[in-house]
Amino acid sequence: MNQTTSDKQTIVIKVGSTLIAPNGRVDRKTCLPAISSYINQCFEQGIRVVLVSSGSVAAGKHFFSNETPSAIEKKAMAATGQSEMIATWDSLLHKPCAQILLTQADLQERTRYTNIKSTVNQLLDNGIIPIVNENDAVTSGQFEVGDNDNLSAMIAACIHADTLIICTDIDGLYDKNPHTHDDAQLIKEVKTITPEILKMAGGSNSNVGTGGMITKLQAAQKATEHGIDTIIVNGKKKESFEALFEKVNPGTFFEAQGKPLQDQTHWLIHTSKAVGELIIKEEEDNKIAVNARNLDFRDIVEVNGEFAAGDTVLIKDVKGKKIAKATSLCSSCLLNFVNDHQDENTIMESALKQGPIIQKTELAIFAPTL
């Protein structure tokens, strides 16, 4: 571990449900004092901290009698538990706290995404700790991020954080499941997240949280590709946080990429969800058209999904290979109409006059491995 958070200006700390409310109630005594003490020390040393805190559903569970809650009951639990969770952090942290509840829709739309960055920085500039969580009380379907591991990486990228710390209930990434293999070895450092590394992640062993090790690796990949060092640590151990300040790696350290993705490209690949697909002809000329950012109506053979102009779409060839993600300048309705009338010269000539159908400045070409 070459750097620690002591050398950094802004860090994002993600704390999972298993640490906050392991038994359906907020646990103020086991893990939270050490985590909050670390955050307090960071601010004392001039390090800015954003806290991404899970636990609203778990914290609200004890207010409800149903042992197998429905989806809508879980939303009610989230609404109830969120206030208790915020109150707990507010009582443990030495700085005032601010609540930020987000959905995928907030991250999807560029203006709202930019507003998140501005609001978080304004809070930090005024010595206030932003506490971020997914808005589980209202979100569902395509507007759902799904887990706070990935949300924490999106927030870290959004605000250009230096370090992402993911607190969990084991020491880090192991080469095999440590719960079922006595010979499992902790991996101390990962320079590049390869397919082999991803295969090491098993499912979650907790019935409390929504993210297992795979979501933590996904988060680490998002963060490191934005130039953000990422550390998975055992949040149950006070020594983990002591080690961070002593410049000792207490878990698994993921090294930031030396050449991070540009902001717009990173947002398209890792944050914005594609709501539709454009299938292009399997010809070299069309792949060149994508790379040259001048894809037009003639290149499209199929349109999947319903989307509006300005939405993110996935571009694939006819064999299903992912080529790029882009912001569409046309709705699926218009694209389907023109595609259905390609033999009519007047309609095609009118369509071609509109120029490219993708936003040239908002296109991310996938690497061959994706």
Side-chain angles (χ1 to χ4, degrees), residues 221-234:
Q221 190 167 40
K222 285 180 171 66
T224 55
E225 288 189 4
H226 201 275
I228 301 168
D229 288 336
T230 302
I231 313 168
I232 298 177
V233 303
N234 193 329

Side-chain angles (χ1 to χ4, degrees), residues 1 187-189 231-233 243-244 247-253:
M1 183 175 179
I187 299 173
K188 295 294 292 181
E189 185 169 342
I231 313 168
I232 298 177
V233 303
L244 288 172
K247 299 187 178 182
V248 176
N249 175 15
T252 302
F253 176 73

Side-chain angles (χ1 to χ4, degrees), residues 269-289:
I269 292 177
H270 289 304
T271 299
S272 183
K273 286 185 177 180
V275 296
E277 294 180 348
L278 303 180
I279 310 301
I280 66 172
K281 301 172 186 176
E282 192 184 7
E283 298 175 4
E284 189 61 30
D285 287 347
N286 290 297
K287 294 179 182 180
I288 293 172

Side-chain angles (χ1 to χ4, degrees), residues 182-296:
D182 293 335
D183 60 342
Q185 297 293 314
L186 178 66
I187 299 173
K188 295 294 292 181
E189 185 169 342
V190 176
K191 291 187 177 295
T192 305
I193 299 175
T194 62
E196 290 72 27
I197 292 292
L198 291 172
K199 287 179 182 178
M200 294 178 185
S204 174
N205 280 280
S206 168
N207 60 2
V208 177
T210 56
M213 185 55 67
I214 185 62
T215 58
K216 291 166 179 58
L217 292 185
Q218 291 168 350
Q221 190 167 40
K222 285 180 171 66
T224 55
E225 288 189 4
H226 201 275
I228 301 168
D229 288 336
T230 302
I231 313 168
I232 298 177
V233 303
N234 193 329
K236 289 185 173 181
K237 295 182 176 180
K238 182 179 179 181
E239 311 90 82
S240 297
F241 305 104
E242 293 173 347
L244 288 172
F245 276 112
E246 293 171 359
K247 299 187 178 182
V248 176
N249 175 15
T252 302
F253 176 73
F254 298 83
E255 185 176 337
Q257 285 194 3
K259 294 182 179 179
L261 296 173
Q262 293 182 348
D263 285 350
Q264 188 71 29
T265 301
H266 189 278
W267 173 78
L268 271 172
I269 292 177
H270 289 304
T271 299
S272 183
K273 286 185 177 180
V275 296
E277 294 180 348
L278 303 180
I279 310 301
I280 66 172
K281 301 172 186 176
E282 192 184 7
E283 298 175 4
E284 189 61 30
D285 287 347
N286 290 297
K287 294 179 182 180
I288 293 172
V290 173
N291 282 276
R293 301 168 187 260
N294 61 356
L295 199 72
D296 65 32

Side-chain angles (χ1 to χ4, degrees), residues 3 13 24 41 59 85 132 182 189 207 217 246 317 332 344:
Q3 292 178 309
I13 299 178
Q41 290 180 65
M85 185 183 71
V132 182
D182 293 335
E189 185 169 342
N207 60 2
L217 292 185
E246 293 171 359
D317 65 19
S332 56
E344 300 178 28

Side-chain angles (χ1 to χ4, degrees), residues 57-332:
V57 175
K61 189 175 182 180
H62 70 278
F63 291 102
F64 297 80
S65 57
N66 193 346
E67 291 296 322
T68 57
S70 64
I72 194 63
E73 285 175 317
K74 287 183 178 180
K75 293 183 185 302
M77 290 177 181
T80 307
Q82 182 69 20
S83 59
E84 183 176 359
M85 185 183 71
I86 288 292
T88 300
W89 284 119
D90 193 57
S91 67
L92 293 170
L93 297 171
H94 295 167
K95 295 285 186 179
C97 299
Q99 174 180 263
I100 301 178
L101 296 176
L102 299 174
T103 68
Q104 177 64 34
D106 300 311
L107 300 161
Q108 190 87 6
E109 207 277 317
R110 283 295 294 181
T111 300
R112 289 155 78 176
Y113 182 81
T114 302
N115 286 341
I116 294 169
K117 177 181 178 180
S118 300
T119 299
V120 169
N121 281 323
Q122 189 64 226
L123 291 168
L124 292 172
D125 289 344
N126 286 275
I128 300 169
I129 302 175
I131 301 180
V132 182
N133 193 12
E134 181 159 16
N135 196 349
D136 293 315
V138 300
T139 189
S140 62
Q142 70 182 55
F143 300 116
E144 186 177 24
V145 177
D147 67 90
N148 274 357
D149 292 324
N150 279 288
L151 178 61
S152 68
M154 294 177 190
I155 293 298
C158 178
I159 66 171
H160 291 237
D162 300 290
T163 301
L164 170 63
I165 300 173
I166 301 176
C167 300
T168 185
D169 56 355
I170 60 174
D171 290 341
L173 174 66
Y174 285 80
D175 59 353
K176 58 186 73 173
N177 190 336
H179 296 285
T180 56
H181 295 81
D182 293 335
D183 60 342
Q185 297 293 314
L186 178 66
I187 299 173
K188 295 294 292 181
E189 185 169 342
V190 176
K191 291 187 177 295
T192 305
I193 299 175
T194 62
E196 290 72 27
I197 292 292
L198 291 172
K199 287 179 182 178
M200 294 178 185
S204 174
N205 280 280
S206 168
N207 60 2
V208 177
T210 56
M213 185 55 67
I214 185 62
T215 58
K216 291 166 179 58
L217 292 185
Q218 291 168 350
Q221 190 167 40
K222 285 180 171 66
T224 55
E225 288 189 4
H226 201 275
I228 301 168
D229 288 336
T230 302
I231 313 168
I232 298 177
V233 303
N234 193 329
K236 289 185 173 181
K237 295 182 176 180
K238 182 179 179 181
E239 311 90 82
S240 297
F241 305 104
E242 293 173 347
L244 288 172
F245 276 112
E246 293 171 359
K247 299 187 178 182
V248 176
N249 175 15
T252 302
F253 176 73
F254 298 83
E255 185 176 337
Q257 285 194 3
K259 294 182 179 179
L261 296 173
Q262 293 182 348
D263 285 350
Q264 188 71 29
T265 301
H266 189 278
W267 173 78
L268 271 172
I269 292 177
H270 289 304
T271 299
S272 183
K273 286 185 177 180
V275 296
E277 294 180 348
L278 303 180
I279 310 301
I280 66 172
K281 301 172 186 176
E282 192 184 7
E283 298 175 4
E284 189 61 30
D285 287 347
N286 290 297
K287 294 179 182 180
I288 293 172
V290 173
N291 282 276
R293 301 168 187 260
N294 61 356
L295 199 72
D296 65 32
F297 289 89
R298 290 171 298 192
D299 303 307
I300 306 301
V301 296
E302 188 178 340
V303 179
N304 296 325
E306 296 183 3
F307 51 89
D311 281 344
T312 300
V313 294
L314 192 62
I315 300 173
K316 294 181 175 180
D317 65 19
V318 292
K319 290 185 176 179
K321 181 182 178 181
K322 296 178 183 178
I323 298 173
K325 282 175 80 175
T327 298
S328 178
L329 292 173
C330 307
S331 69
S332 56

